[in-house]
Structure formats: C-alpha cells, structure tokens
Amino acid sequence: MTTTPAPRIVLTSVHVDDQARALAFYTDVLGFRLKHDVPLGEHRWLTVVSADDPDGVELVLEPDDHPAARAYQQALAADGIPAASFAVDDVAAAVTALEARGVRVVQQPLAMGPVVTAVVDDTCGNLVQLTSPA
C-alpha cells in the first residue's frame, strides 16, 4: 500500500492595513526576518520568517484591501480573537520587552493550563497571541 506524504505548511498569512508598517512591526519589534519583498503593482509579496528558522514557515503580510478580508480582520479584532499565534520562550519576558518598545498589550500574560499566553496589537489591524510553556 502506498501512503501519501503529509502536506507541510509553508505559508500562512495575516491581512494588514499597511504593509510597510506591518513589516516594521514584525521585523523591528517582534524580531522576524524579511524573507521576500517582491513589488506587485500597488502592493508587495511580503513575507517574514522566524530568525531561528529562516527556511521555515513564511508569514505573508497580505494587504486587507478585499472587503471580505477587511471585514474578517475587523471582526476578529473586535471580538478579541488573535489573527496569529507565535511561540516565544517566555511570554512574561516578551511582554515586558514589547511594552518597553511601546507595544499595546491587550492581554497580559495569563496561565492557561500547559501554556502562558498574552495578546498584543500589531498596529496593522490584528491582535497577535504569544505563547510559551507554563
């Protein structure tokens, strides 16, 4: 019997209202690295990756120009639902560092069973969750 190889996640995306501001936040503030920056008319194919895994999953900073994308993004943020979740070694330390850089923390570190989570505002229309082991 032949088995089908399991698919791998190589790209995921967050819709952003300003790609330049998003790139600055995700690289300069959160510490991701730019992977691709390809001009595409009025927008860019813009991806970032983890500094610790430059060949890993790419996060696409995708324009939210489509009405459905913008409505979805706004509904998630209005209900306090993060658009993405990123692992860090220590959520409390990460939040302290982010607050020192002026990041708006929506949810302070909170133990939730086996993990600690916090939620921050990415300044581009999204809430982003940080997680670490408890």
Side-chain angles (χ1 to χ4, degrees):
M1 175 178 195
T2 303
T3 59
T4 302
R8 295 175 292 122
I9 298 171
V10 294
L11 291 171
T12 188
S13 63
V14 292
H15 291 99
V16 298
D17 59 13
D18 183 312
Q19 285 189 297
R21 193 172 64 240
L23 179 60
F25 179 82
Y26 282 86
T27 57
D28 299 341
V29 177
L30 287 185
F32 286 96
R33 293 209 175 137
L34 176 64
K35 178 80 175 194
H36 294 287
D37 186 353
V38 180
L40 295 172
E42 68 181 283
H43 299 296
R44 300 148 66 182
W45 176 255
L46 196 53
T47 71
V48 296
V49 293
S50 169
D52 295 335
D53 190 12
D55 294 321
V57 176
E58 295 178 50
L59 178 66
V60 182
L61 304 177
E62 191 165 352
D64 70 353
D65 285 0
H66 190 284
R70 184 166 294 151
Y72 176 73
Q73 178 190 34
Q74 290 172 343
L76 287 179
D79 286 350
I81 300 170
S85 181
F86 305 124
V88 296
D89 291 335
D90 181 335
V91 166
V95 165
T96 298
L98 291 171
E99 284 181 316
R101 301 187 80 177
V103 172
R104 185 172 77 91
V105 177
V106 176
Q107 176 205 299
Q108 289 291 324
L110 177 66
M112 301 178 72
V115 297
V116 176
T117 69
V119 178
V120 300
D121 181 341
D122 79 349
T123 74
C124 301
N126 302 295
L127 301 178
V128 176
Q129 183 178 58
L130 304 174
T131 67
S132 69

